[in-house]
Amino acid sequence: MISSLKTDLTKSHSYDTDKVLDVLKSSHNGLSQQEAQKRLDEYGLNKLPEKKDVHPVLKFLKHFHNILIYVLLVAAVITALLGHWIDTWIILVVVVINGLIGYLQEGKAEKALDAVKKMLSSHALVKRDGQMGEIEAEKLVPGDIVQLKSGDRVPADIRLLSVKSFSVNEASLTGESESVQKGIEPVGGSASLGDRFSMAYSGTLVSSGLATGVVTATGAYTELGKINRMLSEVKSITTPLLRQIEKFGRKLTLIILLFAAITFMAGYFIGGYSLEEIFLAVVGLSVAAIPEGLPAVITIILAIGVQRMAKRNSIIRLLPGVETLGSVSVICSDKTGTLTKSEMTVTHVQMPDKMVEISGIGYKPSGHFSVGNKRIDPVKDEMMELLLNGCLLCNDSRLREENDSWTVEGAPTEGALICLANKGGIDSLENSRRLDTIPFESEHKFMATLNETGTEENPSRVIFLKGAPERVLERCQYQGFGDERRDIDTQWWKQRCEEMASKGLRLLAVACKDSEMNRESIDMKAVQDDFSLLAIIGLIDPPREEAISAVQECREAGIRVKMITGDHALTAVSVAKQLGIGDGKTVISGSELDKIDDSQLPDIAERVDVFARVSPEHKLRLVQALQKKGIVTAMTGDGVNDAPALKRADIGIAMGIKGTEASKEAAVMVLADDNFTSIVNAVEEGRTVYDNLRKSLLFILPTNGGQGLIIITAIILGTILPITPAQILWVNMVTAVTLALALAFEPMEKDAMKKPPRDPKSPLISGPMLGRIIYVSVLLNLSSFGLFYFFHNFQPDLGVDYARTIAVNTLIIGEIFYLFNSRFLKGSSLNLKAIKATKPVWITVLLVSLFQLLFTYFPVFQNLFGTSGVRAIHWPLMIASGVVLFIMVELEKALLRRRKSVKNV
């Protein structure tokens, strides 16, 4: 019965009240207690379904499902069997730390479900057996008659039966920032969620007035329930970086295993090594080749990126999201508050004899009035002054200044009218007072006030009328004021309204008429006719000035910006045109999206840049359509309606100021200032993070490659290992990681925002990068193994520990010089600026130098790692090998630049 009932009521907004009650088998007296209990047993509680949690232990163990981790665990087992416990514990510590990081980051998006559930009301005022009483909202059933008042959270989806000045804030559900005036008249069956004026939806807030309605859906069947279901079904996709690292890890593991197998066979069958010796050598090779410090380096680089972004108002909730921003090629942005100021502003006033333009945006009363290119003083124009008086008197809101910030207490539209009057030089009306009011209601769509104006010697009374142009026009017989008053040209005014609306302006009409001096109140009869139209006022939520330049910067960076808004199509196109989004003409509405097949949508989503009147399902479909085209997509949002799309997007961006908890929990990034410019700043940081990550890889991997080649070379030549497994882990975890971290602090390269977004399918290691890794690995092997071979064979009296200490220090010195090469992926390091470097570079160089002195001369380290104090006369030899390596790498970079291949690095 639930499914059949739901089918009957999917278009309840289009049914008249009698039909809805008939379908629900209810009445204005409500259900009986017996019938309500029967329906509760049948339909279930009015709450969202709970999701079964995965056991924390299983969640933790899942983070060890990685092929590189498996290889490290096998290496740990082998070293333990061979009794090399230091190697075993170091490997295990690295593995556990990596798993903990992943575990702590997991599951944050699922908190969005809890945030959605918190939006449900806890109690409801319900009529049962003809008596009104309060019950737990969980016990509401379809057919219940519910009463709503200002401040209530709507407890279920409700078809309104009666209203009085009733408005609802649906921003969390539709994205529309202004409260929506509700009525009881049916609307079209295909009306979008934001246009269903006869409905009040679960989780939204009553802004004003009173209403009575009948429950049409509860729990999972409400619009909020649909979003909750989408959110639970939507799977977060892996970030491009994690996909690349996973692919890179598989390839690296196969290469390591292949070389380990070849080395084992060569050493055992050809080199004559014992089984234990060759096992130890192969473990050493595996440990040398696997970049154990890579997870830590990646985590720290991303964490540094998080800190940088936080300083630029972008809060990252999931570390890999930092890098994802760098590969974004499409940003789907909401309009209100993100691309615009979310402050309604009067920009045009159409009067009977002229069009007046008003400068200045937002609620700050700063700007001027002009006709054509000529400024005018509005208070010197009698009719304009009367209009501005009406804007203040026919108004229930007020502006407030606090720390040079202007906010409106009340309706945004009314705040804009107050600002208009203030700009015109009218701040208050001391000689005027309101006597009576007809408040705005959705049925009549206007507000009227009776006011006493003038002076004590010459008092007068006037009625001001403000509202929807079509409702005001039908009450006007005249236009103008005083000597300029004449019969109204209704057709002319309708044409002006169409012209203004085509520019995306929201329209209000203001009219007035004189009243008898003895009138103390007004009713609907008093405002039926005989008004004189003063003006049609055009308002818009203006674009942020900084957003215009940010959109331009995105275009230069190869990033397309798409506006996806719940606002009307004309308004969306107008704002998009001012921002430079789209072609200024093409817009697709939510109702049009419903008619587009999923197979056609990817091409349309890629081509069109402006979408209006969209629902939560539309946003999710658009994100999925763009991802089908291989486009890395960022999606902004602030309401619970945005949560599924935010979770699905490659990078979900929630608003920190006006955003709901559901949207913040579903998103990867939260904007502290709700400003689109902060997204562009975050993209800059994301690209910098990725560049620095690649620099770190380009630095770390030759270290592992060089160590691996040292061991392979030793096995081929049949000599003892120049570096022990413990010494290898020292190099990997202490020195290489420390030096690599210096690259995390490198500033953004000059052309970072001039390049197109990187292809998410491109490999983490490009061809030129791989060539350099192999090249530097060979250079490190030649210098380190070469000096070991020399001291071991030609100065045997110094001992094998001495030769190994020389080999390790030569390797480290080579890395220090190579660090300066790695600061620039393609640029030369043979200049003063490059050698001067950054503060973190010199700090890490000094730290590593100190570590190596301890490693070489401190007795505890000598016993732990098998090292020996090096004579001062031999240090210049090792330093010279580092200088040679630095020069050789710069020659390779110069050769690449000449071949113009470095652009792929």
Side-chain angles (χ1 to χ4, degrees):
M1 184 175 177
I2 292 177
S3 59
S4 63
L5 181 60
K6 187 60 186 170
T7 302
D8 289 337
L9 294 171
T10 51
K11 295 187 184 296
S12 56
H13 52 276
S14 65
Y15 301 160
D16 61 36
T17 55
D18 289 338
K19 181 175 180 180
V20 172
L21 288 171
D22 182 57
V23 171
L24 285 163
K25 296 180 175 57
S26 184
S27 70
H28 289 281
N29 288 324
L31 302 172
S32 66
Q33 289 290 356
Q34 184 179 0
E35 177 63 21
Q37 184 59 49
K38 180 181 176 183
R39 295 190 184 193
L40 184 64
D41 294 338
E42 188 171 358
Y43 302 155
L45 292 173
N46 176 33
K47 65 177 186 177
L48 302 179
E50 301 285 344
K51 184 180 178 181
K52 188 177 180 180
D53 286 334
V54 179
H55 195 280
V57 174
L58 294 177
K59 284 185 179 180
F60 178 68
L61 293 176
K62 186 178 68 176
H63 294 281
F64 296 92
H65 182 52
N66 180 293
I67 193 165
L68 275 176
I69 298 297
Y70 293 153
V71 174
L72 284 174
L73 289 173
V74 171
V77 171
I78 294 174
T79 52
L81 292 173
L82 295 175
H84 295 267
W85 292 105
I86 293 176
D87 300 344
T88 302
W89 285 114
I90 291 176
I91 293 172
L92 290 176
V93 166
V94 170
V95 170
V96 172
I97 289 174
N98 190 54
L100 279 172
I101 291 171
Y103 176 73
L104 293 174
Q105 292 297 332
E106 187 194 18
K108 289 187 176 180
E110 278 65 29
K111 291 181 182 178
L113 295 173
D114 296 330
V116 171
K117 295 182 181 100
K118 289 176 184 176
M119 294 186 64
L120 296 176
S121 177
S122 57
H123 292 85
L125 201 59
V126 181
K127 183 182 282 188
R128 288 183 177 171
D129 290 322
Q131 299 294 318
M132 193 66 71
E134 188 174 79
I135 66 169
E136 292 180 16
E138 284 189 353
K139 295 182 179 179
L140 280 177
V141 295
D144 266 329
I145 301 299
V146 176
Q147 190 176 92
L148 300 169
K149 64 182 185 302
S150 180
D152 285 349
R153 189 177 291 278
V154 180
D157 285 0
I158 294 171
R159 173 62 167 91
L160 299 172
L161 302 176
S162 66
V163 296
K164 184 176 182 181
S165 301
F166 189 67
S167 64
V168 180
N169 186 329
E170 297 180 329
S172 62
L173 196 63
T174 65
E176 181 58 50
S177 57
E178 290 194 62
S179 295
V180 180
Q181 291 292 327
K182 296 292 185 176
I184 63 171
E185 294 301 317
V187 297
S190 60
S192 64
L193 206 62
D195 293 328
R196 298 176 187 175
F197 304 117
S198 57
M199 296 290 297
Y201 288 107
S202 178
T204 59
L205 288 167
V206 178
S207 301
S208 62
L210 295 169
T212 301
V214 59
V215 175
T216 60
T218 58
Y221 296 99
T222 62
E223 291 297 326
L224 189 66
K226 288 181 185 177
I227 294 171
N228 183 75
R229 188 163 60 251
M230 280 194 294
L231 193 57
S232 62
E233 292 172 355
V234 168
K235 294 183 179 179
S236 301
I237 64 172
T238 310
T239 68
L241 175 64
L242 294 180
R243 291 197 296 269
Q244 286 181 322
I245 290 176
E246 185 179 354
K247 190 173 182 180
F248 168 72
R250 287 197 300 267
K251 288 183 177 180
L252 181 61
T253 301
L254 290 174
I255 293 170
I256 291 171
L257 292 176
L258 179 63
F259 272 95
I262 294 172
T263 303
F264 177 83
M265 289 187 289
Y268 186 71
F269 294 107
I270 301 173
Y273 285 85
S274 68
L275 194 60
E276 182 176 339
E277 287 176 329
I278 195 61
F279 256 126
L280 189 60
V282 168
V283 168
L285 173 62
S286 301
V287 173
I290 293 176
E292 296 95 337
L294 186 59
V297 170
I298 291 174
T299 300
I300 295 171
I301 289 177
L302 295 177
I304 291 169
V306 167
Q307 291 178 345
R308 283 180 171 178
M309 289 182 184
K311 292 177 182 178
R312 303 182 77 176
N313 296 313
S314 299
I315 313 301
I316 299 293
R317 300 181 61 255
L318 191 62
L319 281 181
V322 178
E323 176 277 331
T324 307
L325 281 160
S327 57
V328 164
S329 51
V330 166
I331 299 175
C332 297
S333 177
D334 185 25
K335 176 184 71 67
T336 305
T338 308
L339 291 168
T340 65
K341 291 179 68 67
S342 192
E343 296 179 0
M344 295 302 294
T345 303
V346 176
T347 58
H348 294 78
V349 176
Q350 178 65 66
M351 305 189 75
D353 59 340
K354 56 183 173 287
M355 171 67 83
V356 183
E357 296 182 2
I358 297 89
S359 65
I361 60 174
Y363 296 132
K364 185 176 182 179
S366 175
H368 58 264
F369 293 62
S370 60
V371 177
N373 295 320
K374 184 180 179 181
R375 288 194 185 186
I376 65 169
D377 186 349
V379 295
K380 292 182 179 179
D381 184 313
E382 191 175 9
M383 185 162 58
M384 176 65 79
E385 184 180 21
L386 180 63
L387 171 67
L388 298 182
N389 287 341
C391 288
L392 286 180
L393 291 169
C394 194
N395 200 307
D396 285 330
S397 302
R398 72 185 187 95
L399 284 182
R400 183 165 54 87
E401 182 186 14
E402 191 173 296
N403 300 324
D404 200 34
S405 176
W406 291 80
T407 57
V408 61
E409 292 181 358
T413 300
E414 291 192 337
L417 296 182
I418 298 172
C419 181
L420 174 69
N422 293 170
K423 287 179 181 179
I426 301 177
D427 297 324
S428 62
L429 298 171
E430 296 178 359
N431 297 323
S432 302
R433 65 190 181 95
R434 183 190 296 184
L435 301 175
D436 197 18
T437 305
I438 296 177
F440 184 95
E441 290 190 12
S442 56
E443 284 82 357
H444 51 251
K445 294 185 178 179
F446 64 76
M447 174 184 179
T449 59
L450 172 64
N451 311 275
E452 185 175 84
T453 62
T455 63
E456 290 185 12
E457 297 79 17
N458 187 26
S460 63
R461 295 196 175 183
V462 61
I463 299 175
F464 282 107
L465 184 70
K466 173 197 74 182
E470 65 273 15
R471 294 299 175 88
V472 174
L473 276 171
E474 66 188 19
R475 287 165 170 76
C476 293
Q477 279 70 50
Y478 310 99
Q479 63 186 44
F481 174 76
D483 295 338
E484 297 180 14
R485 175 171 147 165
R486 59 183 182 272
D487 290 341
I488 192 167
D489 185 347
T490 304
Q491 190 59 38
W492 184 86
W493 282 105
K494 287 181 178 179
Q495 290 174 356
R496 300 291 81 76
C497 286
E498 289 176 4
E499 290 173 3
M500 295 173 74
S502 68
K503 297 177 182 178
L505 296 172
R506 295 186 181 182
L507 305 182
L508 273 178
V510 179
C512 71
K513 72 174 181 178
D514 292 328
S515 176
E516 305 87 354
M517 284 301 298
N518 61 351
R519 181 181 286 276
E520 296 292 336
S521 63
I522 53 175
D523 53 19
M524 293 301 290
K525 184 178 179 181
V527 295
Q528 280 300 313
D529 52 25
D530 210 31
F531 278 91
S532 182
L533 183 64
L534 298 179
I536 300 292
I537 296 175
L539 308 94
I540 197 168
D541 181 7
R544 293 176 181 263
E545 293 176 357
E546 64 271 24
I548 297 174
S549 58
V551 170
Q552 173 63 29
E553 190 175 353
C554 282
R555 280 203 300 269
E556 293 175 358
I559 301 170
R560 288 184 69 172
V561 179
K562 297 182 183 290
M563 180 191 291
I564 302 179
T565 177
D567 217 330
H568 294 281
L570 286 175
T571 305
V573 169
S574 176
V575 173
K577 191 173 182 180
Q578 296 176 62
L579 287 161
I581 298 174
D583 58 10
K585 300 176 183 177
T586 308
V587 59
I588 291 182
S589 66
S591 58
E592 291 173 310
L593 281 174
D594 288 332
K595 300 173 185 176
I596 298 173
D597 187 79
D598 284 343
S599 61
Q600 300 172 313
L601 189 57
D603 290 331
I604 293 172
E606 184 179 24
R607 175 173 51 84
V608 178
D609 290 332
V610 183
F611 299 87
R613 262 346 201 186
V614 294
S615 69
E617 292 91 340
H618 296 144
K619 291 186 177 185
L620 181 58
R621 282 187 70 203
L622 287 169
V623 169
Q624 292 172 326
L626 289 168
Q627 289 173 338
K628 284 180 181 178
K629 299 287 288 186
I631 296 171
V632 179
T633 306
M635 167 65 80
T636 70
D638 56 8
V640 64
N641 61 314
D642 297 319
L646 291 176
K647 183 180 176 183
R648 173 67 190 190
D650 295 278
I651 182 87
I653 305 170
M655 303 297 111
I657 298 174
K658 64 175 183 175
T660 60
E661 287 304 310
S663 65
K664 293 175 188 177
E665 290 293 345
V668 171
M669 186 171 90
V670 178
L671 296 184
D673 58 355
D674 290 11
N675 194 331
F676 182 81
T677 304
S678 296
I679 301 175
V680 181
N681 294 338
V683 170
E684 287 182 357
E685 294 294 347
R687 291 190 174 190
T688 301
V689 164
Y690 186 70
D691 281 346
N692 290 347
L693 185 60
R694 297 183 87 197
K695 290 173 186 178
S696 297
L697 279 172
L698 203 57
F699 174 79
I700 291 174
L701 294 180
T703 302
N704 297 101
Q707 291 173 138
L709 286 177
I710 289 171
I711 293 174
I712 290 173
T713 303
I715 292 173
I716 291 173
L717 296 178
T719 184
I720 63 170
L721 295 181
I723 305 178
T724 65
Q727 291 171 345
I728 288 170
L729 286 168
W730 165 265
V731 173
N732 288 355
M733 291 303 298
V734 179
T735 58
V737 171
T738 306
L739 291 171
L741 282 180
L743 297 171
F745 296 92
E746 288 297 302
M748 182 177 72
E749 296 197 7
K750 292 181 179 179
D751 62 346
M753 289 299 284
K754 302 297 181 184
K755 299 181 293 186
R758 64 181 179 84
D759 185 353
K761 295 179 181 178
S762 62
L764 192 61
I765 305 296
S766 63
M769 281 182 70
L770 181 60
R772 185 176 299 172
I773 289 168
I774 295 171
Y775 178 65
V776 177
S777 297
V778 171
L779 291 176
L780 287 171
N781 175 44
L782 289 174
S783 59
S784 185
F785 184 84
L787 287 179
F788 168 80
Y789 189 83
F790 172 78
F791 280 96
H792 180 58
N793 290 281
F794 296 100
Q795 294 194 18
D797 55 307
L798 294 175
V800 68
D801 286 349
Y802 191 94
R804 282 174 168 165
T805 307
I806 290 285
V808 173
N809 279 303
T810 302
L811 188 63
I812 297 302
I813 290 170
E815 290 177 21
I816 290 174
F817 278 93
Y818 180 53
L819 176 64
F820 289 86
N821 296 120
S822 303
R823 291 190 60 233
F824 302 101
L825 291 171
K826 59 183 180 180
S828 173
S829 297
L830 288 170
N831 56 69
L832 183 61
K833 181 181 177 181
I835 295 173
K836 186 179 178 182
T838 61
K839 191 174 181 180
V841 167
W842 284 109
I843 289 174
T844 54
V845 167
L846 290 173
L847 279 174
V848 168
S849 299
L850 177 62
F851 285 149
Q852 283 310 112
L853 290 174
L854 292 172
F855 175 81
T856 305
Y857 296 106
F858 198 57
V860 173
F861 284 84
Q862 288 178 338
N863 292 331
L864 192 60
F865 294 102
T867 59
S868 177
V870 175
R871 296 176 182 177
I873 195 173
H874 293 145
W875 283 103
L877 188 62
M878 293 182 281
I879 293 172
S881 70
V883 173
V884 171
L885 184 143
F886 176 82
I887 294 171
M888 294 295 290
V889 174
E890 286 305 308
L891 288 174
E892 180 262 351
K893 288 166 70 176
L895 181 62
L896 280 177
R897 287 195 298 273
R898 183 172 297 179
R899 291 178 177 177
K900 296 182 180 180
S901 299
V902 75
K903 65 182 180 180
N904 296 318
V905 176

